[in-house]
């Protein structure tokens, strides 16, 4: 948003378009992952294992998120060209 536009030299409009284009899919993907994980953790997983399962799920989600960002090709050049 504003911070990105000020620090990278891209326009505010380009930053807002990128946020709109990336934010909704990222939010939906997070919900597709975390809602089932949360439901299973709080209904199936015993109390002793909840923290461990949450940490494993978080680790896997971070890997998936990194792969998604890497494969989407989001970069500073995309901001400046818009």
């Amino acid at each position: 948003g504003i911070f990105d536009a000020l620090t990278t030299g891209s326009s505010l409009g380009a930053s807002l378009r990128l946020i709109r284009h990336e934010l909704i899919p990222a939010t939906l993907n997070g919900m597709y992952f975390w809602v089932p994980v949360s439901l299973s953790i709080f209904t199936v997983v015993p109390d002793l294992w909840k923290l461990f399962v949450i940490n494993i799920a978080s680790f896997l989600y971070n890997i998936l998120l990194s792969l998604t960002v890497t494969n989407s090709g989001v970069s500073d050049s995309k901001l400046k060209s818009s």
Side-chain angles (χ1 to χ4, degrees), residues 24-46:
I24 292 173
T27 302
L28 289 175
N29 287 336
M31 289 173 58
Y32 293 145
F33 182 83
W34 283 111
V35 169
V37 168
S38 295
L39 286 174
S40 64
I41 286 172
F42 293 114
T43 58
V44 178
V45 178

Side-chain angles (χ1 to χ4, degrees), residues 5 9 19 27-28 40 49 51-52 66 82:
I19 288 171
T27 302
L28 289 175
S40 64
W49 290 96
L51 185 60
F52 178 73
S66 296
S82 297

Side-chain angles (χ1 to χ4, degrees), residues 49-65:
W49 290 96
K50 284 183 182 179
L51 185 60
F52 178 73
V53 173
I54 289 171
N55 282 324
I56 295 298
S58 188
F59 179 72
L60 293 174
Y61 182 72
N62 284 327
I63 291 171
L64 291 172
L65 191 60

